[in-house]
Each structure stands twice: as C-alpha cells, then as structure tokens.
Amino acid sequence: MATFYAQNVLGGLAYGSLLFLIAAGFTLIFGLMRIVNIAQTAFFLIGVYVGLMLLNHGVPFWVAVPIAGAAVAVLGLLIYRVLHPYHADELTSLLLTIGFTLMLEDAALAVWGGDPQSVPPPPALAFSVQLGTLVFPSYWLAMIGISLLIAAALFFVERRTTLGAVIRAGVDDEEMIRGLGIDVDRAFFIVFAIGAFLAGAGGLLGGPITGAYPGLDGELLPLAFAVIIIGGIGSLEGAYIGSLLIGLVGTFGKALFPQLSYFTIFVPVAAIMALRPQGLLGKKR
Amino acid sequence: MARVMRYVVTAAVVAVLAMGTGPAARGLAAGATPLKIGLLAPTTGVAAAPGHDMINGWKLWWAQHSTTVAGTAIDTTYYDTGSNPNQALTQARRAVEQDHVNLLIGPYLANEGLAVAPYAEEHQVPLFLPTVSADDLTQRKASQYVIKVAGWSSSQTTHPAGGWAYDKGYRKTVTIGDEYAFAYESVGGFAQTFTEKGGKVTKQLWVPLGTTDFSPYLSQVTAEHPDVVFVCVVGADAVHFLQQWTSFGLKAKVPLLVQETVTDQSSIRTLPPEDVVGIIAFSHYAEGRDDPATQRFIANYANAYHALPSYMAAGFFTAAEWIQLALEQVHGDVADQQAFLNAVRTVSVPDSPFGPQRLDPYGAPVENVYVRQVQRTPARYAGDAKTWNVVLKTYPGVSQFWTYNPAQYLKQPVYSNTFQGIAK
Amino acid sequence: MRRPADSGRRRALIGVIAAGGIVLATLVPAFGLPQYYVSLLTQTCIYGIAAMSLDLLVGFTGLVSFSHAAFFGTSAYITALLLTRYGVTSFWAALVLALFGAAALAALFGLLAFRGEGVSFIIITLALNEIIWGLAYQWVDMSGGDNGITGFQRPVIAGMHLTGTPAYYLFCLAALVVCAGLLVTIVRSPFGLVLRGIRERPRRMAALGYPVNRFRYAAYVIAAVFAGVAGVLFAYYNEFVGPVNLSLDTTVQILIMVILGGTGTLLGPLAGAGVVVFVSNALSNITQRWELILGAMYVVILLYARDGLVGIARRVWRAAGRRAPAAPTHPALARENPEAEP
C-alpha cells in the first residue's frame, strides 16, 4: 500500500513538474501581454522533436536542452512579430495563435513523421532507483528537481531584476509603464521569447516522460489550462503549485477512477472557477 | 496594400475551391471499366505511422506486379482518414459518392472501421479490412460487403494465449488494456481461455487511450503480485508502456504477454533493444518468421523503405495479392459485383507473409497464430531495424472462433469492459 | 441623411435575394451534381446553424465562447444514445430531449462561465469544453469512448424517409431556413438590441439598469439550443457520433467559420461555414499538407480580412459607390452612433 502511494505521489510530482515548464511560459506571456498563447504546447512539441533530432546527431542531452529551447525561442520570436501589433486585442491574438498551432502541428508531422518516438534520458540518469519496494526511474525524480530549479530561477528574475519589475508592473498597468519611458515593447518580445524558450527546453526535458508523437500538444493543452485556472492567471507561484496539484490529482485519478480521471482533474478546476475565479494566487481583475 | 491582400485572399480561396472540383479530383476517365479502389489510411494524426506502412505495403505489391490484371486496370486513390472516425466517414463518402470507387480498403483504427462499415453496407460498396480487427464486424454484425481480406480479428490471436500461459504454469494474472473495443476484445480472448483452464484474473486495468504515464497502473500491478501480466495497448501508448515497464523495474520481475500491436515493428522500431528484447506476443504476423514468403517480403520491403514492415504493411501487401487473385478468377470482370465478392471469399493464399490464409463463411481469415518474441535483428537487417519478432511456436489454421462452436460462441456477447468471458 | 425609402428598398432587395437563394438551394439536388456535393451542402446547412448561433454570442453579445461544440456534441450524443440505447424512435422526441440537454448543460456552464469577463470567460468556457470532451472520451460505459456511437438511421418524418442524400439535404435546408429566421428575429428584437448594447458598452448598459450578466446568460443558453439543433441534424447526417464532435477542435472550427464569415452578421458565418466545409474538403483532395495551408489561410484572413467575407463584400459595395448601412444598435446608444438604425 505504501508503495502504491509513494509511486503515485512521485509520479504525480514528476508529471506536474513537466506541466510547470509549459505553464510557466504560458502564464508569463499572458500575465504581461494578455495573450492566450494556444501555441504554447505546440512549442513544447517542437522542442521535443528538435531535441530528439539533436540527440540523434550525438549532441549530449544537457547541451541539447538549451539549443532546443533557443530554436523554439527563435520560432516564437518570428511568430510574435506577427502577433505584436495585435497584442492588445485579446481575441485576435488568441485566434492567431490557434492558426499558428495548426500550422506548427502539420509542419511537425511533415518534418518528423507520424511514428510515436521515444526520447532517451541522459545516460547518467538512465537507471532506476530502488526505494524500499518501490522502483522508480531516476530521470523522473530528476525532473522534479530540475523543474524546481527553473521555478526558483524564474522567481529570482521576477523579484530581483529590472525585467522582472517591468513584467510585474506591466501586468498591472501597461500604459503607466510606457508613460515612464520604459521600453515595454522590447520587454514583450523578450518575455515571449522566454516563454517559447521554456516550452522548447521543457519539451526535451519532458521528452523522456512523454515521448514525441502527433497529438501530444493537443493532450497537454487542456492540462495547461487547468493549471492556469487553478494557479491563477499571471502568477508564477500559482503556476508552480497548480502544476504539482494537477499532476498529483491526475495521477491519483487514473489510479483510482480510470474512467473519470479526466473529470477528476477538472473537478478542482470547476470548483476554483466557481469559488475563486482568479485562481489560488492570481490577482482579482 | 491591405486591400490588395484581401482580394488576393478571396481569389486564392475561390481558386482552391475550383481546383478541388476539377479534373484532378475526378479520377481516371472511363476506359474499359477499371477497378477503382479507395484506400482509406490515416496519414495524419495519432495513427499516421501505421497509415504510411499500409500505403507502403500496398504500393510494394503493385510495384512488383502490373496494375492491369486480366485486362482490368486497377486505379487506387488514397484518402486520409486523419486517425479520426468522423473524417474516415467523410472520406468514405467522398470516395463512394464523388469518385465512384468500386471498393474501399482500410481504414486502420477500430473506431474508424466501425464508422465506415455501416456506410459501406448501406451503399453496397465492398469494404476490405486488412487491419481493422474489430471482432463483431465478422461475427454478430457480419455483412456480405465487409470482408477482412488478409486481416485478422482481435481475439483470434489472444485465444491461444490463455492456454499457453496456463501450460507455462501461470495461474494468476493482471490485465492492462486501452479503454476501447480493440483492447476489450484482445484481453477478453485471453481472459476467457485462461480462466476456462483454471487460471484467475485478479484485476483488470483499463487505461484511457493516449495515456503517457502508466505509473499509476503499474503501481497497482506490483501490489497484486501476479504470475503474468497480459497487455493490449496501441500506438503511442505501446511505446510509453514498454519504456515504463522497464524503467519501473517490472520487466525484470514479472513475465509479460502482449497482443501483437504492443511489439509490432511500428512500436519497437523506435525503442532501445533493452526495453523490448524478450517480450512475448501473440500475433498473426512475425517479421522474423523463417519462411520464404515472409522473408522475401521483408527483404523487398527493407530494400525499398529501409525499415522492416509492420503487420499493417504485410496486410495491405497481401490484400493486394488477394485482389489480384480474385480478379484473375473472374477474368477481370468487375461489373458483376457478386461474382467478384464470391471470388474474393474463395481465394486462398497458400503462403503469404502471414502464412497460409483463407476466409471463413463470416468473412474473417483462418490463419496461423504465432507465439513470437522480440529479438535483435540479424546483421543483414541491422541497418534497417534494431529488433524484430521471431516465431517460438505456431498454432496452425486458427479461426476467429478458436476451438469453440461458432453458433455457441455467438450466443455470448462481444467482449467489452463488462464482459470478458471470464469463467466462473 | 438616409431617406426611409432607401432602407425600405434595401430591405426588399435583401428579401428578394434571400428568397431567390432559398429557391436555388432547394433546386440543387436536381442539378445532377454528384451526391457528394449535396452531402457537403448538407454539412454547410448543419454547421451554418451552429456558426450562426455562435455569432449570436460573439458578434451580437460580445461573448467569445469556446464551449460551443460542447452543446453541439452533447446534443448529438443524446440523440445517438436515445436511438441506440433507449429505444427512442421518434425524431421529435429525440429533438426535444436533445435540446433540453443542450439547454441544461448551458445553464450549468453559464453559472461558472460568467464568473469572469473577457479573457477569463474564454478560458473558462474552453476548460468547460474540455471537461465535456474528457467525459465523452473516457467515460466509455456511457459514451462508447473513442469508438463513438453508431447503429442508427436517418429519421422518418411524417411518413417521409429521409435516408437519401437529397432528401436529408432538403430537410436540413428547411431547418436552416427556420433557424435563420428565428435568429434574425431574435437579433432584431428588443432583446437582441439589448445584447448589442451589451456588446458595445457593457458598463453603460449596466448603468442604465440592465442586468447585463442575466442577458448574457440568456443569450448563452439560447445559442446553445440552436447549437443543439445543429447537433441533432449532425447525428442523423453522420450516423455516427464520437468525442471529436464535442472537442476543442470542433469549437475552433465553428469559431473560424464565424470569424471568416464576419462576426455580427449572421449571414457571414453561414457563408463562412460553406467556405470551411468546401475548402477543407477540396484541399485534402490536392495535398497532404492541407492542415498547414488551412492554418496559414486562417492567419492571413485574421491579419488582412478581419471582418471576414461580409467585410470584404461591404468594402466592394462601398468601392462601387454605395453606402452600406451600419448595424442597428440599442436605442440608448444610438445617439452616439448616428449611422445606426434604431
């Protein structure tokens, strides 16, 4: 019984940690620019594929991660150049990201084909650890740590740097910030690139857990939304806590109520929507 | 500038519409009545890889043989089902109503097949199913138009597994299956024969299609301490399952038996050998089968595509052969649909990549079922694939009813997640 | 200053064109086209109803709902389940129960959706759509899961068998005309004018004493009922219902029809439905990369033809020297908008 709980807690935390890498970028982009980036999970998908391609060419795992992230960041910037004039129009920018998602999904299929592919973890973490009666892949444990580190780094940037100040201020009042002479447009580009980078790097980091296949982005998108609703739009801490929560609920849901596991993820979501629409840690709008 | 763009956009939309309805879409102009075949395969979506394999197998046969058989030209049009029953149905409609195909072949997923079959029956268009294995399409819902040419039925391959497992000394099992018809039928076949011999199914886990994280289910397996675990999952799920079966330590501890889709080439192709070598499956196909017809087929396939063929490729390759034989039998006359269908039902292939195959009165194949095991490929194929399936044992001439009397068998309902044939 | 005779003449012209269009559409089966095209036109009618009903929300009430397929699909599922599992044979019984189901679902969703505004509304309706989809996909005992529900036939109504393609097309065409008529009546009614006011100046309307959220809620449920009609028609058309029919993909598809056609015009989304149905079918005939092209087209349309086909038509109309009338709006806001008709 203890093994059952331990396995599912760790599994849930690992999956939640993976979700954070998507949700973080999503919430940063939305928080600052009010853009609902539907393409965020498509960025993740491209990140896994690019990362896998790099691995197949012999690039070491930890080198491939930032490269994959950078590649997707470049892609993100190109997309943002089209989005930027519309960033104030929430609906148009959302619809544009939907259009881009359709394009990215099919482009990925054209380039990398439709076979589901597995992403090998870095050789140093390819073993499984034995914790009492529980056997658990070490990479999944590492995922929890990696995500925590990234979260910490993001919190640091948000709290202690000028960029972070602009982001936090921009979330509250864009006009005011512009009035102070701060180059908000540049901040927008940077943040979109960071959001895309996180998704892309997150793709390769998450790849050993999710694999790479057409439709991965579509499966992750509703989970990303669930995280954002629970954690609160625009809040990084909310994204982190929300991700772990969704990961845990999802995993236990599957173990205990397989036919309703999706539903069990969204019950807390619906509850938050009803009781506290701004999410656990979001700001009231 | 903006205005110009608007006109360009409108013109483009109109042009595309016009193109879509033009000659290119209408297919072959009439000559001596050709046999127009609509091949439904997913080339986009979750099942895109099997879809490409299906088309590769089909094309390989016609690359080796003339597309004019007994004076009749064979004209194939390919339709993308998008791994989606809705789209499969729309494509079937297009094939039949716009392009006037004489017969449909495909699609791939069970749900695509179940969506298209009633349509085909209603419009009296033959539907050949080399890859859709839904049991009922040739049992309680059998129709004269739906034939599993070069195909199989889900529980056909798993019926022998129950007895085999029991004879190996296993008494307690836990089953894992995707939450849909194909897996219910596959697991049910095993569960029925295993329990009839005296084995016990202590737990049955059904996982949602598209599961990437099997750990919640694997945690339940370890808790039950079974002698053997029987699994049926498909596509991306098979890849994830196999990876995690190893990384959560179960491969080393618990014997595993699977339905063929789990260790099909399309799944094991992309996995490291350590994750898959040694796993035993029950199937109607094995790439490593030591037989001239099979080896000739995979050698040609490897030459053409630098990969080893999955059962989908073998199925479409053999279906093409089947159609050729039937056409020869009716001397190329496709106008008489009944005669052609009768010919299809009476063709038998003495040796195909699957082995010998013939159809039973319900339109399902009687063929070999293999107990096969994943092993590393020999040197000559090492460049095309890392692992392949080798035959351990053959059950010859297995029908969809196993050793049961068909009339008796049909009295029980089709396998579902509420009926698994478990003997009390 | 426009003379009353102008708007009277314009209305008459529109009426004649509409009547002519309906007659033409009715005669399509007689043109000898392959059944396949009649089949696509049937889809256009069905999705047209869905798109027009979404336009009621998006274009007239200012609510961008990402939950529309939930109602379309739920209604289709209810129809399929009633026919296959509960032995219902009457079309009308299925219709009433399915519409009731769609309305009930919308009433439930509405309680949650209107807790937020703007983007929050979008996100919440999107999440709600996903919840319903998740149920259909995973609650296999209820919905058949990915295998969907099949095994039912097109209805027999008043002794007429609607199984054949032309017969069912005409039936859907009739339904389209009825629904379009009802929707036009709704948007021109005082209720409709309030909705428009809410779209343009929600705070103003609230200040004027209108219970804004209640009107939105009402519009949401009404739109869901029409989407439900489309869902019932779809179930019979397809003779198969699966989770994809209430998925986010379908919601987005319907939304694209609305945007493409032009929001706030009703006719636009109907045209948009036709374009999407025909173009996506035509494209997939030509190339495997049809989804890529479709995505690119949507982006281009969003960037350069934002008010859709109707917007393009209006610009052409204006370029030809005629004035296109502005949309009517609520009397309280009319003073700010002299071009609008009260």
Side-chain angles (χ1 to χ4, degrees):
Chain A
M1 219 19 3
T3 321
F4 175 81
Y5 280 104
Q7 178 151 8
N8 288 315
V9 165
L10 287 174
L13 288 176
Y15 204 78
S17 300
L18 189 166
L19 285 178
F20 174 67
L21 297 172
I22 300 170
F26 197 90
T27 209
L28 278 175
I29 291 172
F30 184 79
L32 180 62
M33 294 169 276
R34 306 295 302 270
I35 292 178
V36 178
N37 184 21
I38 301 281
Q40 189 73 5
T41 49
F43 286 162
F44 181 91
L45 181 72
I46 305 276
V48 196
Y49 275 123
V50 169
L52 186 58
M53 203 165 64
L54 292 167
L55 292 180
N56 286 338
H57 280 88
V59 177
F61 190 88
W62 302 110
V63 174
V65 168
I67 299 179
V72 177
V74 168
L75 180 66
L77 280 173
L78 290 173
I79 288 178
Y80 191 66
R81 288 214 58 199
V82 177
L83 282 177
H84 183 62
Y86 302 91
H87 76 270
D89 179 348
E90 289 162 351
L91 176 61
T92 304
S93 51
L94 184 151
L95 293 172
L96 281 169
T97 60
I98 289 179
F100 283 118
T101 303
L102 294 172
M103 293 170 68
L104 287 175
E105 285 172 344
D106 204 39
L109 186 62
V111 173
W112 289 291
D115 285 54
Q117 302 192 47
S118 62
V119 180
L125 289 170
F127 62 96
S128 295
V129 291
Q130 185 111 14
L131 308 159
T133 44
L134 174 68
V135 178
F136 205 79
S138 60
Y139 186 77
W140 289 46
L141 289 174
M143 186 80 224
I144 301 175
I146 293 167
S147 188
L148 187 57
L149 277 173
I150 293 179
L154 286 172
F155 295 157
F156 181 82
V157 167
E158 205 194 24
R159 293 281 132 85
R160 300 297 186 97
T161 66
T162 321
L163 177 65
V166 171
I167 290 172
R168 277 182 289 124
V171 171
D172 290 332
D173 195 331
E174 182 181 333
E175 282 178 32
M176 175 66 106
I177 298 307
R178 281 187 195 280
L180 291 174
I182 294 180
D183 190 346
V184 186
D185 288 328
R186 198 157 78 165
F188 285 1
F189 272 88
I190 292 177
V191 168
F192 199 87
I194 291 177
F197 179 87
L198 282 171
L204 181 53
L205 285 171
I209 298 179
T210 61
Y213 56 96
L216 171 61
D217 60 322
E219 288 173 20
L220 290 171
L221 187 65
L223 298 177
F225 271 93
V227 168
I228 296 303
I229 291 178
I230 292 209
I233 304 172
S235 162
L236 266 182
E237 302 91 334
Y240 190 68
I241 293 176
S243 302
L244 294 182
L245 203 60
I246 293 289
L248 286 166
V249 172
T251 303
F252 275 99
K254 281 185 224 162
L256 301 169
F257 321 109
Q259 281 205 6
L260 298 173
S261 64
Y262 208 78
F263 196 63
T264 55
I265 292 178
F266 279 91
V267 163
V269 173
I272 296 281
M273 278 193 254
L275 302 171
R276 204 184 149 85
Q278 70 273 31
L280 290 173
L281 296 170
K283 301 177 183 86
K284 235 187 165 67
R285 289 199 173 273
Chain B
M1 174 62 193
R3 183 182 282 190
V4 170
M5 280 311 300
R6 282 185 207 116
Y7 294 145
V8 167
V9 163
T10 326
V13 167
V14 171
V16 162
L17 256 177
M19 270 153 69
T21 61
R26 269 188 241 121
L28 251 190
T33 333
L35 178 63
K36 302 193 65 178
I37 300 183
L39 195 155
L40 302 165
T43 47
T44 56
V46 154
H52 286 298
D53 272 28
M54 285 154 66
I55 295 176
N56 287 349
W58 179 260
K59 284 184 170 167
L60 189 63
W61 175 268
W62 298 115
Q64 297 170 353
H65 302 83
S66 165
T67 50
T68 302
V69 177
T72 300
I74 297 198
D75 170 31
T76 309
T77 314
Y78 302 93
Y79 300 90
D80 174 23
T81 62
S83 313
N84 166 353
N86 233 358
Q87 195 169 321
L89 196 48
T90 309
Q91 293 299 326
R93 283 203 178 96
R94 167 192 293 176
V96 170
E97 296 171 21
Q98 175 184 293
D99 299 337
H100 306 294
V101 300
N102 303 104
L103 76 92
L104 292 168
I105 187 166
Y108 172 64
L109 292 171
N111 53 13
E112 293 178 330
L114 287 166
V116 173
Y119 175 81
E121 276 176 56
E122 210 177 288
H123 289 259
Q124 299 177 337
V125 176
L127 177 65
F128 292 170
L129 303 173
T131 42
V132 173
S133 62
D135 281 355
D136 238 5
L137 288 176
T138 48
Q139 289 176 5
R140 299 158 200 83
K141 293 193 177 138
S143 127
Q144 53 168 319
Y145 295 101
V146 177
I147 308 177
K148 286 177 176 168
V149 174
W152 61 307
S153 290
S154 323
S155 55
Q156 180 181 19
T157 52
T158 58
H159 280 140
W164 189 89
Y166 192 85
D167 292 341
K168 272 257 178 286
Y170 304 130
R171 295 290 177 268
K172 239 175 74 167
T173 187
V174 169
T175 67
I176 303 179
D178 268 329
E179 182 89 74
Y180 84 130
F182 170 67
Y184 300 150
E185 295 168 2
S186 305
V187 174
F190 167 78
Q192 181 160 3
T193 50
F194 186 68
T195 52
E196 276 171 1
K197 272 220 156 178
K200 276 207 136 18
V201 177
T202 51
K203 199 166 192 136
Q204 297 202 279
L205 299 170
W206 302 108
V207 313
L209 269 168
T211 295
T212 46
D213 177 14
F214 281 86
S215 61
Y217 309 101
L218 298 179
S219 64
Q220 296 184 58
V221 168
T222 12
E224 293 285 324
H225 304 292
D227 301 324
V228 68
V229 172
F230 184 87
V231 175
C232 175
V233 291
V234 300
D237 294 2
V239 174
H240 292 125
F241 171 77
L242 290 170
Q243 276 180 305
Q244 290 166 32
W245 183 256
T246 307
S247 66
F248 283 93
L250 285 119
K251 185 161 189 285
K253 283 196 250 169
V254 183
L256 179 66
L257 292 178
V258 300
Q259 168 66 296
E260 62 182 288
T261 49
V262 181
T263 53
D264 181 71
Q265 256 304 310
S266 57
S267 302
I268 60 179
R269 241 174 226 160
T270 60
L271 286 168
E274 313 80 68
D275 285 358
V276 294
V277 164
I279 297 182
I280 294 178
F282 288 78
S283 73
H284 69 304
Y285 171 75
E287 321 73 285
R289 177 174 164 249
D290 190 7
D291 169 274
T294 308
Q295 290 311 306
R296 197 169 43 235
F297 169 61
I298 71 165
N300 288 335
Y301 193 93
N303 238 350
Y305 300 111
H306 304 294
L308 287 183
S310 60
Y311 85 83
M312 308 96 184
F316 273 72
F317 180 84
T318 310
E321 175 175 6
W322 208 285
I323 290 174
Q324 169 153 336
L325 290 173
L327 260 183
E328 283 166 0
Q329 211 175 307
V330 292
H331 307 296
D333 178 11
V334 297
D336 185 350
Q337 194 188 62
Q338 276 311 310
F340 177 65
L341 285 180
N342 285 337
V344 170
R345 286 178 189 271
T346 52
V347 161
S348 76
V349 180
D351 202 13
S352 71
F354 297 103
Q357 274 186 333
R358 59 178 171 81
L359 290 171
D360 73 8
Y362 296 84
V366 177
E367 57 195 334
N368 293 349
V369 170
Y370 305 105
V371 183
R372 67 178 201 197
Q373 187 177 48
V374 182
Q375 287 177 12
R376 287 177 197 264
T377 42
R380 68 185 185 280
Y381 289 123
D384 305 303
K386 299 176 282 219
T387 46
W388 69 345
N389 286 287
V390 159
V391 175
L392 298 180
K393 179 181 169 135
T394 304
Y395 293 88
V398 175
S399 91
Q400 59 173 328
F401 299 111
W402 186 225
T403 51
Y404 302 109
N405 172 298
Q408 268 309 105
Y409 184 82
L410 290 177
K411 290 205 184 117
Q412 72 184 34
V414 72
Y415 296 117
S416 66
N417 64 350
T418 46
F419 176 72
Q420 286 281 299
I422 291 180
K424 300 286 173 242
Chain C
M1 188 64 192
R2 194 184 318 111
R3 298 192 307 270
D6 271 352
S7 53
R9 229 185 311 148
R10 198 177 34 81
R11 288 235 180 95
L13 186 62
I14 290 180
V16 167
I17 292 178
I22 294 174
V23 168
L24 196 67
T26 315
L27 292 175
V28 162
F31 291 163
L33 288 172
Q35 300 258 309
Y36 180 64
Y37 292 103
V38 179
S39 186
L40 290 184
L41 282 172
T42 313
Q43 279 190 43
T44 303
C45 292
I46 294 173
Y47 283 109
I49 296 175
M52 289 192 298
S53 66
L54 182 58
D55 194 22
L56 179 68
L57 292 179
V58 177
F60 291 91
T61 320
L63 292 174
V64 182
S65 163
F66 267 76
S67 58
H68 222 55
F71 311 121
F72 175 83
T74 298
S75 161
Y77 262 106
I78 291 177
T79 308
L81 285 169
L82 288 172
L83 293 172
T84 53
R85 215 176 282 189
Y86 300 107
V88 172
T89 45
S90 153
F91 168 80
W92 299 107
L95 179 69
V96 167
L97 289 170
L99 292 187
F100 184 73
L105 190 66
L108 183 62
F109 278 10
L111 295 175
L112 292 171
F114 292 105
R115 303 278 295 168
E117 270 199 37
V119 173
S120 293
F121 178 78
I122 292 177
I123 290 180
I124 291 175
T125 51
L126 196 153
L128 290 169
N129 201 142
E130 292 291 271
I131 293 179
I132 282 291
W133 174 83
L135 277 176
Y137 190 63
Q138 286 187 345
W139 195 6
V140 179
D141 290 347
M142 192 64 210
S143 66
D146 212 28
N147 277 341
I149 302 187
T150 184
F152 53 96
Q153 309 266 302
R154 289 183 189 163
V156 178
I157 299 183
M160 293 184 294
H161 287 260
L162 295 178
T163 327
T165 306
Y168 197 68
Y169 160 67
L170 290 173
F171 180 65
C172 290
L173 181 63
L176 173 66
V177 170
V178 169
C179 288
L182 288 172
L183 281 167
V184 167
T185 312
I186 290 176
V187 301
R188 282 178 189 266
S189 73
F191 174 74
L193 292 181
V194 173
L195 293 183
R196 290 185 224 229
I198 291 174
R199 185 197 75 219
E200 287 174 36
R201 294 265 198 282
R203 279 183 249 275
R204 195 49 151 30
M205 297 300 285
L208 287 170
Y210 288 99
V212 167
N213 263 1
R214 270 201 225 146
F215 273 88
R216 284 176 172 153
Y217 187 79
Y220 189 69
V221 174
I222 291 173
V225 171
F226 280 97
V229 172
V232 173
L233 292 175
F234 178 81
Y236 280 114
Y237 164 77
N238 215 25
E239 292 169 322
F240 176 92
V241 179
V244 68
N245 298 128
L246 29 72
S247 69
L248 193 58
D249 283 345
T250 301
T251 289
V252 167
Q253 194 180 23
I254 301 176
L255 187 59
I256 282 170
M257 292 171 184
V258 175
I259 306 283
L260 180 59
T263 55
T265 60
L266 283 186
L267 180 63
L270 175 59
V275 170
V276 170
V277 166
F278 278 86
V279 169
S280 51
N281 276 285
L283 273 181
S284 58
N285 252 341
I286 305 169
T287 168
Q288 271 193 13
R289 301 272 72 86
W290 60 276
E291 283 177 355
L292 179 68
I293 297 178
L294 217 53
M297 280 175 64
Y298 297 151
V299 170
V300 166
I301 300 239
L302 284 168
L303 295 176
Y304 299 111
R306 185 65 175 81
D307 24 2
L309 294 171
V310 170
I312 293 175
R314 283 217 177 106
R315 259 173 282 278
V316 170
W317 194 249
R318 233 174 247 162
R322 317 295 199 86
R323 270 181 61 223
T329 184
H330 193 271
L333 305 180
R335 249 164 280 121
E336 301 171 19
N337 196 353
E339 275 193 28
E341 308 170 2

